[in-house]
Amino acid sequence: MAENPSDKHALGIGKFWANLTSLELLLRIYLMKKHGQNEVGLELNAGDRCEITFLTNYDTFGTLARKYNQLVPADARIDEKPIEHFRDALAHGRSVTRDPGSPMKIVKFSRPDPVSNTVTVAFCEVITADVIKNAVNGVLGALVMVARQLEREFEGTVS
């Protein structure tokens, strides 16, 4: 049975998203350790209360990445902009496809300009296999970079 092209796209986007959440967690752990914050485990249950740390706060991926980049040497910095751009397009864009077997197109609009009462197209791209591959490779490269830096500074953190 031939592989369905839409399954391949869904798998690729899933890989991007899973690796992005792992990258964000590593950024949070790095920032928490670097700032000497108490480690709050993920074994908490709904309704439990805990202190606000880099693990528990509402910082966005981009904010976390920029804070990380300010603390590490140049050779350990990550290029968060393309990752953040693709993530925001997936999370906030409008997607459409003509049929399940063809790549989807994502259009993301800016926040409204209160003066002109208009929006600008901030992202418009057909999400081809190459686009997905580049996004997955970008987030994987950043994930490896942060893991290496965590291990360099806080040995035994990443296994």
Side-chain angles (χ1 to χ4, degrees), residues 29 32-33 36-43 51 53 55-56 154 157:
I29 291 170
M32 198 171 64
K33 287 184 170 292
Q37 294 178 343
N38 292 328
E39 294 191 28
V40 176
L42 296 176
E43 70 281 347
E51 64 184 297
T53 67
L55 182 68
T56 63
F154 306 101
T157 301

Side-chain angles (χ1 to χ4, degrees), residues 43-77:
E43 70 281 347
L44 300 169
N45 296 304
D48 289 349
R49 296 187 70 75
C50 57
E51 64 184 297
I52 296 173
T53 67
F54 280 104
L55 182 68
T56 63
N57 72 19
Y58 261 69
D59 282 354
T60 64
F61 165 76
T63 299
L64 294 166
R66 286 183 283 281
K67 287 178 180 179
Y68 165 84
N69 281 340
Q70 290 173 349
L71 296 172
V72 298
D75 66 342
R77 293 183 188 138

Side-chain angles (χ1 to χ4, degrees), residues 32-136:
M32 198 171 64
K33 287 184 170 292
K34 194 73 171 177
H35 287 82
Q37 294 178 343
N38 292 328
E39 294 191 28
V40 176
L42 296 176
E43 70 281 347
L44 300 169
N45 296 304
D48 289 349
R49 296 187 70 75
C50 57
E51 64 184 297
I52 296 173
T53 67
F54 280 104
L55 182 68
T56 63
N57 72 19
Y58 261 69
D59 282 354
T60 64
F61 165 76
T63 299
L64 294 166
R66 286 183 283 281
K67 287 178 180 179
Y68 165 84
N69 281 340
Q70 290 173 349
L71 296 172
V72 298
D75 66 342
R77 293 183 188 138
I78 61 172
D79 185 4
E80 85 281 357
K81 285 182 176 67
I83 297 168
E84 185 178 27
H85 193 63
F86 191 69
R87 178 252 174 251
D88 287 353
L90 289 176
H92 305 292
R94 309 325 185 247
S95 62
V96 65
T97 183
R98 296 211 187 277
D99 67 74
S102 65
M104 67 179 166
K105 179 178 183 177
I106 296 180
V107 179
K108 180 181 172 273
F109 300 96
S110 68
R111 293 184 184 271
D113 177 337
V115 175
S116 66
N117 198 33
T118 61
V119 294
T120 302
V121 174
F123 185 97
C124 181
E125 193 162 352
V126 174
I127 308 302
T128 63
D130 284 341
V131 169
I132 293 170
K133 180 180 176 186
N134 289 338
V136 169

